[in-house]
Amino acid sequence: MRPLPPLNALRAFEATARNLSFTKAAEELHVTPAALSHQIRGLEDLLGLKLFHRRARSIELTEPARLIYPGIRTGFEAIREAVERLGRGQQDRVLVVSSTPGFTAKWLVPRLYRFLGQHPDIEARITASVAYANFTSDGVDVGIRLSSGVHPDLYVEKLSDEWLLPLCSPRLLNGDRPLQSPHDLAHFPLIQVDLPGIVPTWADWLRMAGIEGIDGSRGLRLNVADHALDAASEGMGVVLAYKMVAARDIVLNRLVAPFGPEIPVPGRAYYFVCGRGQERRTPVKAFRDWVFAEMEETNASLKAALARRLGRA
């Protein structure tokens, strides 16, 4: 078989023939026009054929060049498609998920091993931020957002509602001065969570519960939800917490709800969000199905745990 010409020379010919310009082909290949011309002349010498008619302001393919160009163009298109398939294959192994720090630390990460066990071919990368991810520039595939659910140009599915409720360590329910009713809050530190956005506060909760004479602004202040939950589980006070973020601590009896009521987070819920059309990608669909199943299991476990607590009370 006749040996193939050097690949760089064939690439120079294909780009020049496609652009009908030495200058444009050189820019595309990131070489100088002189280097490109040298490769073309080398190919012409090797083939023993003239490939271009050089005019004053243009170039034209010779008859032999017209004969070989379609095959060479098809070959490079096949190479490009193969490389793109490789890139898509690598892309479908990586899944980047964005959610808030509290939800990430307390809900998502402790459960994530189950998703990875079911899908060992998927490489998960988790980014925690209070800011909404930009699916165009941040390289994020999926977001779990506590929001209004209004996200134009994105694929959105409601995952779960969210509530706020008082939580504390079980140790606070007993002792010389047990925490038994909302009025007992006057004798316990309140743990405050300073989060962005419109979130009901201890003052809101006390007003809804009809409790007067308690300063709802006092106590330990933290700006990360999981830190506040950890403080409460250590017996440092009573926290007004997101129910779904605290779900695992409630189920494991690290935290208990001494009393109600629960307050729905106004105008906000958890939503599964991704770029339109991305919901059909294999890793995104797999994660979507898993996260909805996990949320269903979380709600069932919470219902059982809170019912047990009510029965003991």
Side-chain angles (χ1 to χ4, degrees):
M1 295 179 64
R2 184 175 182 177
L4 286 174
L7 186 61
N8 279 344
L10 292 175
R11 189 165 172 244
F13 166 73
E14 188 274 338
T16 305
R18 177 163 38 84
N19 289 286
L20 288 177
S21 167
F22 287 112
T23 301
K24 290 181 180 179
E27 291 175 355
E28 178 182 310
L29 299 179
H30 303 290
V31 298
T32 65
L36 184 82
S37 296
H38 179 74
Q39 290 177 335
I40 296 295
R41 289 194 182 94
L43 181 61
E44 289 176 330
D45 291 342
L46 184 64
L47 297 176
L49 299 168
K50 189 174 181 63
L51 298 174
F52 295 99
H53 295 300
R54 292 164 174 80
R55 310 299 185 191
R57 296 186 179 179
S58 64
I59 59 172
E60 295 178 4
L61 273 65
T62 64
E63 285 303 317
R66 294 179 191 278
L67 182 65
I68 65 172
Y69 172 60
I72 294 173
R73 180 192 61 193
T74 301
F76 276 102
E77 286 176 352
I79 292 172
R80 291 189 189 99
E81 174 61 25
V83 172
E84 288 175 3
R85 282 200 303 270
L86 176 62
R88 288 194 295 269
Q90 290 173 334
Q91 182 186 44
D92 283 343
R93 289 199 298 270
V94 176
L95 181 73
V96 182
V97 180
S98 171
S99 65
T100 59
F103 189 87
T104 298
K106 287 294 187 177
W107 193 93
L108 180 58
V109 169
R111 294 167 170 80
L112 193 62
Y113 73 94
R114 292 199 281 261
F115 173 74
L116 298 178
Q118 295 170 20
H119 303 279
D121 54 324
I122 295 177
E123 179 183 339
R125 299 174 185 173
I126 309 301
T127 174
S129 174
V130 294
Y132 290 160
N134 186 314
F135 291 94
T136 302
S137 62
D138 294 348
V140 171
D141 300 301
V142 170
I144 299 176
R145 296 181 174 179
L146 183 63
S147 71
S148 66
V150 179
H151 303 292
D153 303 324
L154 296 178
Y155 175 85
V156 180
E157 276 191 87
K158 185 177 179 180
L159 180 60
S160 174
D161 289 313
E162 181 58 289
W163 302 263
L164 283 154
L165 77 167
L167 294 173
C168 67
S169 166
R171 299 196 300 273
L172 270 60
L173 304 182
N174 304 299
D176 296 335
R177 181 171 278 173
L179 178 62
Q180 296 180 340
S181 78
H183 295 281
D184 295 327
L185 289 171
H187 310 297
F188 291 87
L190 300 182
I191 299 175
Q192 310 280 351
V193 186
D194 294 327
L195 294 173
I198 302 173
V199 178
T201 64
W202 267 116
D204 298 321
W205 186 90
L206 290 166
R207 185 168 54 254
M208 288 187 66
I211 307 300
E212 298 180 354
I214 297 177
D215 181 4
S217 64
R218 62 184 171 83
L220 173 66
R221 309 193 78 88
L222 298 160
N223 67 345
V224 180
D226 50 306
H227 295 174
L229 293 176
D230 290 341
S233 69
E234 292 298 325
M236 296 177 63
V238 188
V239 65
L240 188 64
Y242 283 135
K243 181 179 177 181
M244 303 312 296
V245 173
R248 191 164 181 266
D249 288 319
I250 296 171
V251 171
L252 294 176
N253 204 43
R254 289 198 287 251
L255 291 170
V256 295
F259 36 73
E262 297 178 4
I263 302 177
V265 176
R268 302 171 81 189
Y270 290 109
Y271 290 89
F272 175 93
V273 184
C274 66
R276 285 196 183 277
Q278 293 299 301
E279 72 276 8
R280 295 188 291 271
R281 279 184 55 213
T282 298
V284 173
K285 185 179 185 306
F287 184 78
R288 180 264 172 215
D289 293 345
W290 173 81
V291 81
F292 272 82
E294 285 289 326
M295 187 58 74
E296 184 176 351
E297 189 275 333
T298 297
N299 279 301
S301 298
L302 269 174
K303 185 177 180 180
L306 293 172
R308 286 195 301 270
R309 164 64 194 150
L310 183 62
R312 286 194 296 269

